[in-house]
Amino acid sequence: MSFASDLSAKTVTASGDAVNGRTRVQGVYFTTTVTGSSFTLRTGGSSGTVLLSLTTPAAAGAHDLIIPDDGILFTDGVYVDLADVNVTSVTVLFVGGAAA
């Protein structure tokens, strides 16, 4: 199944909601400083269930993760938790829902 025509993107530079409503995350694009870092994507807000936890490479620059097939289903929106200051931005690629 392909969602190419329905793909949307939302970039965040601080912790917060990226997508409202039921959605499927197809990928993430993120930028980091030189130190290895991490961030999480949750459904249900800041205290919701973690559906993706990513440890970044210890290399400055831009990185991406494409999620195969139908992606990851977030039933109650996508909250990006950027607790680590070494992740400077996260762009969520999604199908369904609406950018927050």
Side-chain angles (χ1 to χ4, degrees):
M1 180 180 286
S2 174
F3 295 108
S5 64
D6 299 327
L7 195 64
S8 298
K10 170 68 180 199
T11 301
V12 297
T13 56
S15 294
D17 291 317
V19 183
N20 295 322
R22 182 180 169 99
T23 189
R24 288 189 178 273
V25 172
Q26 298 293 126
V28 291
Y29 174 85
F30 53 96
T31 56
T32 61
T33 62
V34 74
T35 305
S37 306
S38 65
F39 65 91
T40 58
L41 301 183
R42 299 174 178 270
T43 190
S46 62
S47 60
T49 303
V50 173
L51 296 183
L52 178 65
S53 180
L54 190 65
T55 301
T56 68
H63 312 279
D64 61 28
L65 170 69
I66 302 303
I67 301 167
D69 298 323
D70 291 336
I72 301 172
L73 177 62
F74 286 71
T75 57
D76 191 16
V78 179
Y79 180 89
V80 180
D81 188 351
L82 296 179
D84 192 326
V85 297
N86 295 312
V87 177
T88 55
S89 72
V90 173
T91 300
V92 178
L93 305 171
F94 64 97
V95 175

